[in-house]
């Protein structure tokens, strides 16, 4: 055999192996934290030998992409930050049912009754406030109070983000269209809009606003680091099952388009299993582990201490929320 032939043969075998690995691997569409998704993927590959490719985007972007691609999607799995994007995909029938033993990993309150996807993590809504600008006795009793005239120009939020839109989805489910629309009018009048939750938190910390409505992991993540964007802030949790005490569920589901559904089900079982949830607990996302009996990061207040409303995550309507927010002029 000539050297040229051997080189060509080796190249052919390498390419064939690469294609085979790709065919036997998984593609994950995710809007979850990049580092967390990568940790899950690396640990899963180390355990099973199944390679995982990750494509990152926002909740709505990824959900719309899956809907447009339909059964031709190259994705096997969809992971989100917030559940409304999962509902968008479920409503058009693009999920396979989650394996019963995987569903059993996650408590019922953190997954839809349909069983077409499941909760993989959670985050809590909270108000952070600047202690140099507002006292504890001035804090709003309800998130809805932030639409009152006395809060004009005093609080910030990131209404264009999927995180905030999930909070509005909870308000819509709990209080209906009219009350949600009225609150959004108050939001437009009162809140200073920021590009993201972290920017809103930092705005409160430097005194641009007195308070910001955000998810928990921005504050606790900053506190675990330098704390320079939260060192003047305290946390206020709404009580009495207020919409502002909403717990948002991050979802995971196996797509009908998957070329490797068995491996995709394995991946989802891994993420919600004890190993995957321990990765979540011990990482730096500061989201809540919610499955397989794994306790959350000890830096986080227990979910049981938060008087959150009970909401089936599959009922959260992203499309109506976008319509209402657009009509109110906040996005």
């Amino acid at each position: 055999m000539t050297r040229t032939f051997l080189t060509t043969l080796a190249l052919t075998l390498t390419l064939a192996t690469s294609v085979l690995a790709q065919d036997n691997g998984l593609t994950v569409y995710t809007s979850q934290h990049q580092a967390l998704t990568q940790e899950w993927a690396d640990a899963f590959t180390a355990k099973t030998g199944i390679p995982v490719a990750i494509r990152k985007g926002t909740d709505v972007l990824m959900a719309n992409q899956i809907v447009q691609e339909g059964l031709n999607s190259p994705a096997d799995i969809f992971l989100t930050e917030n559940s409304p994007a999962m509902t968008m995909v479920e409503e058009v029938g693009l999920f396979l049912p989650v394996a019963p033993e995987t569903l059993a990993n996650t408590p019922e309150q953190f997954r839809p009754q349909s069983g077409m996807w499941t909760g993989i993590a959670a985050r809590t809504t909270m108000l952070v406030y600047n202690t140099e600008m507002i006292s504890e006795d001035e804090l709003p009793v309800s998130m809805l109070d932030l639409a009152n005239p006395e809060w004009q120009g005093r609080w910030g939020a990131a209404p264009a983000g999927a995180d905030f839109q999930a909070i509005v989805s909870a308000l819509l489910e709990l209080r209906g269209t009219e009350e949600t629309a009225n609150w959004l009018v108050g939001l437009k009048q009162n809140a200073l809009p920021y590009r993201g939750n972290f920017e809103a938190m930092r705005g409160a910390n430097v005194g641009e606003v007195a308070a910001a409505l955000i998810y928990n992991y921005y504050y606790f993540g900053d506190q675990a680091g330098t704390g320079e964007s939260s060192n003047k802030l305290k946390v206020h949790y709404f009580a009495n099952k207020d919409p502002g005490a909403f717990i948002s569920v991050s979802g995971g589901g196996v797509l009908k388009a998957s070329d490797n559904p068995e491996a995709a089900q394995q991946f989802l079982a891994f993420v919600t299993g004890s190993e995957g949830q321990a990765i979540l607990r011990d990482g730096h996302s500061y989201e809540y582990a919610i499955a397989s009996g794994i306790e959350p990061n000890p830096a986080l207040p227990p979910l049981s201490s938060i008087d959150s409303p009970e909401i089936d995550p599959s009922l959260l309507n992203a499309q109506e929320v976008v319509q209402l927010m657009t009509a109110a002029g906040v996005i």
Side-chain angles (χ1 to χ4, degrees), residues 127-129 134-148 150-151 154-155 211 213 236-239 242:
L127 191 75
V128 290
Y129 64 99
I134 186 173
S135 61
E136 189 172 351
D137 60 3
E138 294 178 282
L139 292 171
V141 174
S142 168
M143 183 183 80
L144 300 181
D145 294 339
L146 293 170
N148 295 341
E150 63 267 24
W151 280 95
R154 300 182 66 200
W155 67 287
L213 191 66
H236 173 57
Y237 288 99
F238 295 104
D242 190 79

Side-chain angles (χ1 to χ4, degrees), residues 106-112 117-122 247 249-250 290 303 313:
T106 304
E108 290 184 3
Q109 67 265 36
F110 300 125
R111 54 182 167 88
W117 56 272
T118 190
I120 60 173
I247 295 175
V249 174
S250 302
I290 56 173
L303 285 176

Side-chain angles (χ1 to χ4, degrees), residues 301-324:
L303 285 176
S304 60
S305 70
I306 298 167
D307 191 11
S308 59
E310 295 182 8
I311 302 175
D312 183 340
S314 66
L315 299 178
L316 299 182
N317 191 323
Q319 293 170 321
E320 186 176 354
V321 163
V322 170
Q323 293 169 0
L324 289 170

Side-chain angles (χ1 to χ4, degrees), residues 90-266:
E90 181 180 1
E91 285 179 343
V92 294
L94 291 177
F95 281 131
L96 290 173
V98 176
E101 58 270 24
T102 301
L103 284 178
N105 287 341
T106 304
E108 290 184 3
Q109 67 265 36
F110 300 125
R111 54 182 167 88
Q113 294 180 6
S114 66
M116 300 305 292
W117 56 272
T118 190
I120 60 173
R123 61 277 301 277
T124 60
T125 310
M126 65 186 198
L127 191 75
V128 290
Y129 64 99
N130 188 316
T131 57
E132 297 179 356
M133 300 179 68
I134 186 173
S135 61
E136 189 172 351
D137 60 3
E138 294 178 282
L139 292 171
V141 174
S142 168
M143 183 183 80
L144 300 181
D145 294 339
L146 293 170
N148 295 341
E150 63 267 24
W151 280 95
Q152 187 168 9
R154 300 182 66 200
W155 67 287
D163 287 352
F164 194 85
Q165 291 171 21
I167 296 170
V168 179
S169 296
L171 175 59
L172 176 63
E173 176 61 24
L174 291 166
R175 300 296 179 90
T177 299
E178 183 177 356
E179 194 163 349
T180 301
N182 290 336
W183 188 77
L184 289 171
V185 171
L187 164 68
K188 174 66 175 176
Q189 294 171 344
N190 289 355
L192 184 65
Y194 286 89
R195 186 180 56 158
N197 279 264
F198 187 83
E199 289 77 10
M201 179 183 72
R202 185 166 53 193
N205 198 61
V206 300
E208 292 174 353
V209 289
L213 191 66
I214 63 171
Y215 277 155
N216 71 285
Y217 58 86
Y218 295 96
Y219 174 82
F220 287 103
D222 190 68
Q223 286 283 296
T226 65
E228 61 185 2
S229 295
S230 61
N231 56 11
K232 295 181 181 179
L233 303 178
K234 283 191 175 181
V235 173
H236 173 57
Y237 288 99
F238 295 104
N240 303 314
K241 304 194 184 304
D242 190 79
F246 168 61
I247 295 175
S248 181
V249 174
S250 302
V254 175
L255 296 169
K256 276 187 179 179
S258 176
D259 292 328
N260 200 349
E262 290 185 9
Q265 294 281 5
Q266 277 184 266

